[in-house]
C-alpha cells in the first residue's frame, strides 16, 4: 500500500514591489514532489499493510522542491549576484478531519540539506544536516 503522493505546483500572485514596480523577486520552482508519510524517519512506511484494511493517519506531508537560479538586480558597473538553484525540503503536519474529510496543513520550516563527507579508512560517509532557510504555509482556495 503506497501512501498518497504527487506533484506540487506553486501559484504566485502579481504583487507590486515596495517601489511600485511590477518586478517582484521570487524563486521559481523547477520541479517538486509531495508524499504523505507516517514516520519520515522510517522509510519502510510505504508498505504499511494495515492501510489495506483501515485508512492510515499520515500525520506528515513531506515536500521536496527544486528551484531555478535567481539573478538579482545590481547597480550599473557592479558584478551580478544570484541565488543558486536550491533543493528545499519541508516536513508539514497534516491533519485530516475524519467526519468532513477537510485537510489542514500547518506552517512548517523549509530547509536545505548540507552535505558533509567524512573520509574513513576504506569508506566515505555522507552526513546530511538540515539548515532552516524559511517557512512555508498553505491557504485553501
Amino acid at each position: 500500500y503506497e501512501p498518497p503522493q504527487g506533484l506540487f505546483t506553486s501559484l504566485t500572485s502579481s504583487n507590486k514591489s515596495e517601489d511600485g514596480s511590477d518586478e517582484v523577486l521570487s524563486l521559481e520552482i523547477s520541479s517538486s514532489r509531495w508524499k504523505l508519510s507516517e514516520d519520515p524517519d522510517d522509510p519502510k512506511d510505504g508498505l504499511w499493510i494495515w492501510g489495506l484494511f483501515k485508512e492510515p493517519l499520515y500525520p506528515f506531508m513531506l515536500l521536496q522542491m527544486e528551484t531555478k537560479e535567481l539573478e538579482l538586480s545590481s547597480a550599473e558597473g557592479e558584478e551580478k549576484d544570484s541565488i543558486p538553484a536550491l533543493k528545499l525540503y519541508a516536513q508539514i503536519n497534516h491533519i485530516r478531519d475524519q467526519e468532513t474529510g477537510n485537510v489542514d496543513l500547518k506552517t512548517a520550516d523549509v530547509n536545505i540539506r548540507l552535505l558533509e563527507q567524512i573520509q574513513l579508512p576504506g569508506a566515505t560517509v555522507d552526513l546530511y544536516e538540515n539548515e532552516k532557510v524559511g517557512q512555508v504555509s498553505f491557504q485553501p482556495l
Side-chain angles (χ1 to χ4, degrees), residues 12-124:
T12 57
S13 60
S14 59
N15 295 331
K16 293 197 180 286
S17 63
E18 291 177 11
D19 64 359
S21 68
D22 285 330
E23 183 182 342
V24 176
L25 293 179
S26 64
L27 293 173
E28 184 179 344
I29 296 174
S30 60
S31 68
S32 63
R33 295 206 51 84
W34 62 268
K35 177 181 177 181
L36 297 185
S37 176
E38 291 182 307
D39 184 357
D41 297 323
D42 185 6
K44 63 182 181 249
D45 68 338
L47 295 175
W48 191 63
I49 189 67
W50 297 112
L52 297 173
F53 307 107
K54 180 181 174 186
E55 185 174 346
L57 297 177
Y58 297 124
F60 301 105
M61 181 176 85
L62 306 179
L63 179 61
Q64 177 180 327
M65 300 176 286
E66 294 180 27
T67 66
K68 295 182 179 180
E69 181 179 13
L70 175 65
E71 289 193 16
L72 304 173
S73 58
S74 59
E76 238 178 88
E78 288 185 12
E79 186 178 331
K80 291 226 175 210
D81 202 5
S82 66
I83 298 173
L86 300 169
K87 190 177 261 192
L88 305 170
Y89 302 90
Q91 177 180 317
I92 301 139
N93 287 340
H94 171 270
I95 300 169
R96 182 171 181 258
D97 188 317
Q98 294 295 329
E99 293 177 17
T100 64
N102 294 339
V103 173
D104 185 21
L105 297 173
K106 302 294 183 184
T107 299
D109 292 339
V110 175
N111 301 301
I112 58 172
R113 289 191 178 146
L114 302 175
L115 171 66
E116 179 181 348
Q117 289 188 329
I118 299 176
Q119 186 66 43
L120 300 174
T124 301

